[in-house]
Amino acid sequence: MTPYGLTTEQLTEPLGLGGMGLGGMGLGGMGLGEFRPRLSWKLRSDRRGAAPSAYRITAARHEGDLDDEARLIWDSGRRESGDTLLVPWDGPVLQSATCYHWRVEVWDETGAAAGTAQSWFETGLLHRDDWTAGWIGRDPVSLPLVDPPTDEERSFPSPAAAPLYLRHDFEVAERPVRARLYATARGVYEPSLNGARVGDRELAPGWTEYHRRLQYQTYDVTGRVHAGVNEIGAIVADGWWSGHVGFDPSRPARHYGTATGYLAQLVLDFADGSRQVVATDGDWTEGAGPILAADLLMGQFADARRSPSFRPVAVLDREPGPLVAEPDHPIRVTAEVPAVAVDRRGPHRFVVDFGQNVVGRVRLRIRGAEPGRRIVLRHAEVLSGGELYLDNLRRAAATDTYVTAGGEEEFEPQFTFHGFRYAEVSGYPGELSAADVSARVLHNDTPFTGRFTCSDPMVEQLQANIVWGQRGNFVAVPTDCPQRDERLGWLADAQVFAPTATRNADVSAFLARWMRDVVDGQDADGAFRDVAPVLVLDREGAPAWGDAGVIIPWLLWRAYGDRRTLEHSFAAMVAWIEHVRRHNPDLLWRHRTGNSYGDWLQVDAETPRDVLSTAYFAYSTRIVADAAEVLGRGAELDEYRALHDKIRSAFIDAYVRDDGTVEGGTQTAYLLALDFGLLPPDLVEAAAGHLAADVEKRGNRLTTGFVGVALLCPVLAEHGRADLAYALLHQDDFPSWGYSIRHGATTIWERWDGWTEHGGFQSAAMNSFNHYSLGSVGDWLFGRVAGIDQAPGSVAYRELMLRPTPGGQLTWARAEQETARGFVCCGWDLDGDQLTVVVAVPPGSTAVLEIPTTDPGSVRLDDAPVPAEPSARGATVRLTSGRFTFTAAY
Ligand code: RAM
């Protein structure tokens, strides 16, 4: 058995780590006590039954010192514990800007030493006093630097708001042995050193509730600073700070501020122990450069003929403000998708098809253009009549313009992003070849650690569409969509999709960071909002929307063992329940339901809003009680268990009849009542029957919207109707996942009827082709089709419940997940009446495997008979860790 995959605060070898306190202001989590990052490791073994029994963590300032007991700065000693997850740093108080190496040593269940692994993390600037930099920017009263705007530029802000080009020369006597750049912006920025870009982050510092928390980034620039004169610089564009965000047309009001700014500090350490700090101050210069306008929604305008001219900056602010170290995976370009077709549409005009709806931007190579040629790129998710369909982008112009300088050129905008499968390139000189154009994909670079495969290409396409939807919408915050003038952190979308997201990728740090925005957005009455960060929709969140504030911290605990986010969110979770209770003393949630969206975008059904709201009130209350239990808060546990029981009784009295029908009679009404455990036990079967009957009477078709759809297949399968769940999965008549795929979808559509044969496009006012919400079925593909799930009460896949479910037209299916504890796999394969089941359980975990066999006596492991308990679904086998291949009669 060996440890591997070491992380600090759920990140691999993070540079520039600081504390995170929920809602906490201040640097590095100041005010929340000392910063104690949490250390984790995974385990693997070739031996069945391997499990950890003890661990020891040692830490040192230098890697080599880990071997020298006398030089350790922390030695946990041998701890008799199987813990592997999020063990808090217990060494000396951490210093700013310091690298710490740590090693974990593990013992197995026999007490034998089982190997070691090591890793490191480096702290950021943890204290206010570490910052000497001031905010710099453009003097608001200075004259515009550039010519009056042309027609193309008019859709952008005034030239005075052109991106800031910043520059400063500094001298050093010798090469530093270590150099770090700490930087952030009011806007989005790209730092540079001696003429070359620093780092590979995109759209830094990301988007947070800026007035509460602004993230700074740390870059290792050792080797980039030389003796003599060096030049440090940056470009800063509007981004979320002062650009167009969401559907609020009042951009001139600016959401966070009227002007962009930059704050940076370069810390140079020399061999003799001396230190030099180069910080943003009044000595820097600023100017306008080739990028004359850049906006997340509108696009970018660059004139390559221009070179920046510089003048003194204005010092905007000497206080750094509520800085926090970047706590999660930054946005990066993670893939480059080649053009699959380039179609010439006229002189200098081409339509490019990338074959995949992506989020990012186009990279274009241009050869031999005359200086001053204007090349314009427009983007669309779909075509209409062979041309770009732009209406559904609403106000998002998504247009990039490049004015050539001549010669060999490459253009890729850097301060914008678009959602597109197609791009129109006009003004291009000569023939555009597919080799000269590609789509660069960007998103928060969460490690994609899950894989689902099966025998049906259509279902595999569904999984691919789900993953592309996740990539495209985990950009800075979990967004509803990436293309139109919206791109907001909608709470319901995030909570219905989050379980699926945790299957596909390690989104632990990403969602935990966003939860702080959700909590910060809570109003004084305890209401979470519909979106976070809060920019629009300034009222209480709707049922199932606001509830994300309760559901996601609980999910992060269940999926990743992140107790701290649960702890830090707990008061806010309680306040949300109290907000609903206060305004609904009869416990039916009918008041203060915000914009009450109901089962948003349901088809041919209308789930009563109060049924949905009250079900969610009960569900969230139960989670709060469960969370209280985990956190050892007895008073709240009793309080919210009792409240849950009362809400459930009120639900039954108001909405459930003796024949098991639920008010409204819709699929979603039954799904909520069944999945949230709201029905009297003796009516469960009848209610499940009504649900199945509704699906059947519609010819195996669904009616569910955002809220119900996540529960549809799981609940049917749970109640003995896996056949119907599969019928829905394979359905390709309207409405279904398969319908969109049959019509070319490469991402999940916002609406079942985004485009139909009978109606064409849905209203352009709201019709995204890249919305992940209806992709929440992905959790079921992993959990039940392939069969990886965890027992109730299990945390981070410690007690696995493996339930492979052959069915539908599938002959095999398999899921793999690199969980926080290690590798988990479950797959099945049907060959005539012989079933093969392959599973992997990581050290320290156990599993209950249900083998769906017709004959429990036929179960064999490694070709030898193995005792299996007969069970309702066939046979049950209890497993410790290891890899196993079973066969059984089917
Ligand atoms: C739409 C968003 C989002 C949804 C809300 C109710 O505008 O795209 O997906 O949650 O409405």
Side-chain angles (χ1 to χ4, degrees), residues 222-233:
T222 311
R224 300 270 303 261
V225 179
H226 49 73
V229 177
N230 292 264
E231 180 202 311
I232 184 171

PDB file of all heavy atoms in Angstrom, residues 222-233:
ATOM      1  N   THR A 222      11.174  33.099 -10.655  1.00  0.00           N
ATOM      2  CA  THR A 222      12.615  32.878 -10.492  1.00  0.00           C
ATOM      3  C   THR A 222      13.181  32.552 -11.879  1.00  0.00           C
ATOM      4  O   THR A 222      12.587  31.802 -12.630  1.00  0.00           O
ATOM      5  CB  THR A 222      12.858  31.684  -9.540  1.00  0.00           C
ATOM      6  OG1 THR A 222      12.056  31.871  -8.375  1.00  0.00           O
ATOM      7  CG2 THR A 222      14.325  31.578  -9.143  1.00  0.00           C
ATOM      8  N   GLY A 223      14.299  33.123 -12.199  1.00  0.00           N
ATOM      9  CA  GLY A 223      14.862  32.844 -13.527  1.00  0.00           C
ATOM     10  C   GLY A 223      14.403  33.829 -14.586  1.00  0.00           C
ATOM     11  O   GLY A 223      14.916  33.834 -15.694  1.00  0.00           O
ATOM     12  N   ARG A 224      13.446  34.653 -14.225  1.00  0.00           N
ATOM     13  CA  ARG A 224      12.954  35.622 -15.227  1.00  0.00           C
ATOM     14  C   ARG A 224      13.498  37.023 -14.960  1.00  0.00           C
ATOM     15  O   ARG A 224      13.242  37.949 -15.723  1.00  0.00           O
ATOM     16  CB  ARG A 224      11.419  35.661 -15.193  1.00  0.00           C
ATOM     17  CG  ARG A 224      10.735  34.334 -15.490  1.00  0.00           C
ATOM     18  CD  ARG A 224      10.457  34.125 -16.955  1.00  0.00           C
ATOM     19  NE  ARG A 224       9.652  35.188 -17.547  1.00  0.00           N
ATOM     20  CZ  ARG A 224       8.333  35.106 -17.750  1.00  0.00           C
ATOM     21  NH1 ARG A 224       7.672  34.030 -17.402  1.00  0.00           N
ATOM     22  NH2 ARG A 224       7.683  36.098 -18.330  1.00  0.00           N
ATOM     23  N   VAL A 225      14.187  37.176 -13.833  1.00  0.00           N
ATOM     24  CA  VAL A 225      14.735  38.495 -13.480  1.00  0.00           C
ATOM     25  C   VAL A 225      16.252  38.401 -13.587  1.00  0.00           C
ATOM     26  O   VAL A 225      16.854  37.463 -13.066  1.00  0.00           O
ATOM     27  CB  VAL A 225      14.331  38.892 -12.048  1.00  0.00           C
ATOM     28  CG1 VAL A 225      14.915  40.244 -11.666  1.00  0.00           C
ATOM     29  CG2 VAL A 225      12.806  38.905 -11.910  1.00  0.00           C
ATOM     30  N   HIS A 226      16.853  39.337 -14.286  1.00  0.00           N
ATOM     31  CA  HIS A 226      18.303  39.277 -14.473  1.00  0.00           C
ATOM     32  C   HIS A 226      18.963  40.518 -13.869  1.00  0.00           C
ATOM     33  O   HIS A 226      18.287  41.505 -13.558  1.00  0.00           O
ATOM     34  CB  HIS A 226      18.644  39.135 -15.953  1.00  0.00           C
ATOM     35  CG  HIS A 226      17.924  40.116 -16.817  1.00  0.00           C
ATOM     36  ND1 HIS A 226      18.251  41.445 -16.854  1.00  0.00           N
ATOM     37  CD2 HIS A 226      16.859  39.946 -17.651  1.00  0.00           C
ATOM     38  CE1 HIS A 226      17.430  42.064 -17.684  1.00  0.00           C
ATOM     39  NE2 HIS A 226      16.571  41.183 -18.171  1.00  0.00           N
ATOM     40  N   ALA A 227      20.281  40.423 -13.739  1.00  0.00           N
ATOM     41  CA  ALA A 227      21.027  41.573 -13.223  1.00  0.00           C
ATOM     42  C   ALA A 227      20.890  42.728 -14.206  1.00  0.00           C
ATOM     43  O   ALA A 227      20.901  42.520 -15.417  1.00  0.00           O
ATOM     44  CB  ALA A 227      22.495  41.197 -13.039  1.00  0.00           C
ATOM     45  N   GLY A 228      20.713  43.916 -13.676  1.00  0.00           N
ATOM     46  CA  GLY A 228      20.569  45.080 -14.544  1.00  0.00           C
ATOM     47  C   GLY A 228      19.139  45.574 -14.553  1.00  0.00           C
ATOM     48  O   GLY A 228      18.391  45.375 -13.591  1.00  0.00           O
ATOM     49  N   VAL A 229      18.739  46.204 -15.650  1.00  0.00           N
ATOM     50  CA  VAL A 229      17.406  46.797 -15.727  1.00  0.00           C
ATOM     51  C   VAL A 229      16.407  45.754 -16.236  1.00  0.00           C
ATOM     52  O   VAL A 229      16.664  45.065 -17.220  1.00  0.00           O
ATOM     53  CB  VAL A 229      17.411  48.026 -16.663  1.00  0.00           C
ATOM     54  CG1 VAL A 229      16.000  48.598 -16.795  1.00  0.00           C
ATOM     55  CG2 VAL A 229      18.360  49.084 -16.129  1.00  0.00           C
ATOM     56  N   ASN A 230      15.320  45.627 -15.528  1.00  0.00           N
ATOM     57  CA  ASN A 230      14.233  44.727 -15.908  1.00  0.00           C
ATOM     58  C   ASN A 230      12.961  45.544 -16.090  1.00  0.00           C
ATOM     59  O   ASN A 230      12.803  46.613 -15.486  1.00  0.00           O
ATOM     60  CB  ASN A 230      13.982  43.692 -14.815  1.00  0.00           C
ATOM     61  CG  ASN A 230      15.121  42.710 -14.674  1.00  0.00           C
ATOM     62  OD1 ASN A 230      15.100  41.629 -15.227  1.00  0.00           O
ATOM     63  ND2 ASN A 230      16.162  43.104 -13.913  1.00  0.00           N
ATOM     64  N   GLU A 231      12.050  44.966 -16.848  1.00  0.00           N
ATOM     65  CA  GLU A 231      10.786  45.671 -17.063  1.00  0.00           C
ATOM     66  C   GLU A 231       9.628  44.796 -16.589  1.00  0.00           C
ATOM     67  O   GLU A 231       9.504  43.641 -16.986  1.00  0.00           O
ATOM     68  CB  GLU A 231      10.636  45.944 -18.556  1.00  0.00           C
ATOM     69  CG  GLU A 231       9.354  46.661 -18.891  1.00  0.00           C
ATOM     70  CD  GLU A 231       8.979  46.446 -20.355  1.00  0.00           C
ATOM     71  OE1 GLU A 231       9.857  46.630 -21.216  1.00  0.00           O
ATOM     72  OE2 GLU A 231       7.824  46.073 -20.597  1.00  0.00           O
ATOM     73  N   ILE A 232       8.820  45.345 -15.730  1.00  0.00           N
ATOM     74  CA  ILE A 232       7.640  44.616 -15.249  1.00  0.00           C
ATOM     75  C   ILE A 232       6.404  45.334 -15.778  1.00  0.00           C
ATOM     76  O   ILE A 232       6.416  46.562 -15.925  1.00  0.00           O
ATOM     77  CB  ILE A 232       7.647  44.529 -13.711  1.00  0.00           C
ATOM     78  CG1 ILE A 232       6.479  43.683 -13.210  1.00  0.00           C
ATOM     79  CG2 ILE A 232       7.664  45.895 -13.047  1.00  0.00           C
ATOM     80  CD1 ILE A 232       6.540  43.379 -11.715  1.00  0.00           C
ATOM     81  N   GLY A 233       5.382  44.570 -16.095  1.00  0.00           N
ATOM     82  CA  GLY A 233       4.191  45.212 -16.651  1.00  0.00           C
ATOM     83  C   GLY A 233       2.957  44.358 -16.500  1.00  0.00           C
ATOM     84  O   GLY A 233       2.990  43.270 -15.899  1.00  0.00           O
TER      85      GLY A 233
END
